[in-house]
Amino acid sequence: MDLIASRNEILLEKLLLVNGQPGCGKTLFTSFLPSIPRVELLNYSTEIENICILHELGKISKDGALSFIKCHIDEVLYNTCMSRKTNFRIKDLSSVFQNPYKFKYFLRLLSDGDQRIPDYIKKNKPILHFATHNLLPMSKILFEAFNEKIAFIEILRKPIYMIKQQFINYENHKYSNRYFHIKLNFTNKEFFHWDFPYAKNHTNYNSIDFAIQHLNYQLKKQISEINIHLKKRTKNLLVIPFDEFVLNPKPYLSKVENLLGDKFSKKLDKILKREKVPRKKVSDGVDKFVYRRYGWEKSDKNLDEEMEIQKRIEFVKLENPKEESLKKLDESIRLYENFIEINNNFI
């Protein structure tokens, strides 16, 4: 008799995933989404990302992946509802202090927990909230695990606005043991799993080449997966172009409310104002230390949008990418623009 890993009964009421490539602007969305009172404190989870890729690679069985994901999500929800393992580091983006309902998490520290939590979840229907990276192309196992309980927000952005952060990621993490994503070993060389399709034959790439190749490869996978969901008319996936949102947020805010089945509170306006939304230019972002660490610069009031874009192209060229990489960057920009133009009525 075959044993099957299983978890039939789950605590989860709703799982909200805000996903996209590094530098796409996810943290803007995770800052204002908790102004819907049922949306919980932001979490990050390399566990979810790693299990999904291990399943995608055939390194873990389907029943093993499903049961682990369900157990992990329920445990995070259980702990969140009594402020166990909650982030109280003041400057972190996932900190209690960044949440519009921060006092709720202090009160939970003083309240009863454990046996009381399942009833609390059933009564209050909290929405567990994660930011993830490059997850949509390998998310089939998640949709199967949670069905209608999952709400997936996929953030797209003009590639040229993401390139600097991705370049800095490669500069900072290529030799770091502080990065917790699955790597693949090929001919005694290690690669992050997302780099493997192109890196195995191009070990002479520098950081800007890797950043461009990664951006291009992931964008193609994103768009392919989005098109599959659009054909299926998937109701629990919402695609938001960052560039469109920051200039005109209202239509997308209504779509978020429809996706989650709940309304934003009055706290939303204050958070959007803090995040400079709506903006006159896409590049008119907010000055935060964590953003500066990943290459953010204050926009120049003397530059229009096209000039801001050109400034970023010049940054890429100064890093001496290979000619094939520059072609990939141009391809990415056209691919993004064509996708937005064709699907403007659907997203």
Side-chain angles (χ1 to χ4, degrees), residues 80-108:
T80 298
C81 288
M82 53 180 149
S83 287
R84 180 183 286 163
K85 298 184 179 180
T86 298
N87 186 359
F88 288 91
R89 288 179 59 84
I90 293 174
K91 292 183 179 180
D92 284 5
L93 293 174
S94 58
S95 168
V96 162
F97 295 96
Q98 304 295 328
N99 191 280
Y101 292 97
K102 60 179 71 69
F103 295 111
K104 164 171 74 175
Y105 296 95
F106 288 96
L107 291 173
R108 286 178 180 178

Side-chain angles (χ1 to χ4, degrees), residues 41-242:
L41 187 69
L42 169 64
N43 289 278
Y44 293 99
S45 178
T46 50
E47 293 94 337
I48 294 175
E49 296 169 21
N50 285 338
I51 285 294
C52 286
I53 189 58
L54 286 171
H55 174 256
E56 194 77 11
L57 292 169
K59 299 297 184 181
I60 186 171
S61 65
K62 182 178 179 180
D63 61 304
L66 283 169
S67 59
F68 178 89
I69 287 168
K70 289 177 180 179
C71 287
H72 173 65
I73 291 296
D74 272 356
E75 185 178 14
V76 174
L77 176 61
Y78 178 78
N79 288 329
T80 298
C81 288
M82 53 180 149
S83 287
R84 180 183 286 163
K85 298 184 179 180
T86 298
N87 186 359
F88 288 91
R89 288 179 59 84
I90 293 174
K91 292 183 179 180
D92 284 5
L93 293 174
S94 58
S95 168
V96 162
F97 295 96
Q98 304 295 328
N99 191 280
Y101 292 97
K102 60 179 71 69
F103 295 111
K104 164 171 74 175
Y105 296 95
F106 288 96
L107 291 173
R108 286 178 180 178
L109 283 171
L110 306 173
S111 67
D112 294 331
D114 299 319
Q115 292 91 342
R116 190 185 70 87
I117 296 305
D119 288 337
Y120 172 88
I121 292 170
K122 189 173 182 179
K123 178 182 177 182
N124 293 283
K125 302 186 184 306
I127 300 173
L128 194 59
H129 173 205
F130 287 93
T132 55
H133 304 84
N134 297 333
L135 188 61
L136 184 62
M138 51 188 180
S139 63
K140 186 177 179 181
I141 194 78
L142 287 169
F143 282 95
E144 185 170 341
F146 301 116
N147 298 309
E148 75 284 350
K149 292 190 175 191
I150 195 169
F152 208 109
I153 299 179
E154 183 72 4
I155 310 299
L156 294 174
R157 190 173 187 178
K158 288 180 181 178
I160 196 62
Y161 278 111
M162 297 188 287
I163 193 66
K164 195 169 187 178
Q165 179 171 332
Q166 297 200 17
F167 164 76
I168 290 172
N169 282 349
Y170 279 101
E171 286 286 283
N172 290 344
H173 297 311
K174 57 187 172 185
Y175 302 118
S176 174
N177 58 4
R178 199 175 58 82
Y179 214 53
F180 306 111
H181 288 85
I182 295 293
K183 290 184 177 182
L184 301 177
N185 190 299
F186 180 73
T187 62
N188 292 322
K189 294 184 178 69
E190 274 196 337
F191 306 95
F192 287 116
H193 65 82
W194 51 73
D195 287 331
F196 183 70
Y198 41 86
K200 61 184 178 182
N201 297 321
H202 296 281
T203 54
N204 61 335
Y205 278 169
N206 61 24
S207 293
I208 196 67
D209 293 311
F210 272 117
I212 293 170
Q213 295 289 340
H214 171 270
L215 195 155
N216 179 267
Y217 180 73
Q218 290 298 331
L219 181 60
K220 287 177 178 177
K221 293 185 75 173
Q222 272 182 295
I223 288 176
S224 175
E225 193 66 25
I226 290 168
N227 284 331
I228 291 170
H229 283 275
L230 288 176
K231 287 178 183 176
K232 290 180 179 178
R233 298 186 181 276
T234 305
K235 294 182 179 179
N236 47 353
L237 172 69
L238 174 60
V239 180
I240 301 181
F242 178 92

Side-chain angles (χ1 to χ4, degrees), residues 170-330:
Y170 279 101
E171 286 286 283
N172 290 344
H173 297 311
K174 57 187 172 185
Y175 302 118
S176 174
N177 58 4
R178 199 175 58 82
Y179 214 53
F180 306 111
H181 288 85
I182 295 293
K183 290 184 177 182
L184 301 177
N185 190 299
F186 180 73
T187 62
N188 292 322
K189 294 184 178 69
E190 274 196 337
F191 306 95
F192 287 116
H193 65 82
W194 51 73
D195 287 331
F196 183 70
Y198 41 86
K200 61 184 178 182
N201 297 321
H202 296 281
T203 54
N204 61 335
Y205 278 169
N206 61 24
S207 293
I208 196 67
D209 293 311
F210 272 117
I212 293 170
Q213 295 289 340
H214 171 270
L215 195 155
N216 179 267
Y217 180 73
Q218 290 298 331
L219 181 60
K220 287 177 178 177
K221 293 185 75 173
Q222 272 182 295
I223 288 176
S224 175
E225 193 66 25
I226 290 168
N227 284 331
I228 291 170
H229 283 275
L230 288 176
K231 287 178 183 176
K232 290 180 179 178
R233 298 186 181 276
T234 305
K235 294 182 179 179
N236 47 353
L237 172 69
L238 174 60
V239 180
I240 301 181
F242 178 92
D243 318 271
E244 307 288 329
F245 175 85
V246 294
L247 300 178
N248 183 24
K250 268 193 171 182
Y252 297 103
L253 292 172
S254 297
K255 290 180 180 182
V256 170
E257 289 180 332
N258 291 335
L259 178 72
L260 297 178
D262 209 341
K263 298 288 185 182
F264 287 102
S265 71
K266 293 180 180 179
K267 293 180 181 288
L268 173 65
D269 292 337
K270 182 178 180 181
I271 297 172
L272 290 178
K273 184 177 180 180
R274 183 190 73 197
E275 300 295 328
K276 297 185 179 179
V277 177
R279 301 173 184 174
K280 292 181 179 179
K281 290 193 303 184
V282 173
S283 54
D284 288 339
V286 181
D287 187 359
K288 293 182 180 179
F289 170 75
V290 67
Y291 296 165
R292 280 184 271 125
R293 194 172 70 192
Y294 287 99
W296 180 89
E297 294 179 12
K298 186 176 181 180
S299 66
D300 189 333
K301 63 181 180 181
N302 296 315
L303 301 182
D304 61 20
E305 200 72 67
E306 288 303 315
M307 291 175 177
E308 291 280 3
I309 289 171
Q310 189 58 40
K311 184 171 77 170
R312 286 156 177 80
I313 292 173
E314 291 304 316
F315 163 80
V316 171
K317 291 180 178 179
L318 285 172
E319 294 300 327
N320 297 315
K322 293 176 172 50
E323 189 63 31
E324 64 182 277
S325 297
L326 284 174
K327 290 179 181 177
K328 288 283 186 182
L329 182 58
D330 288 339

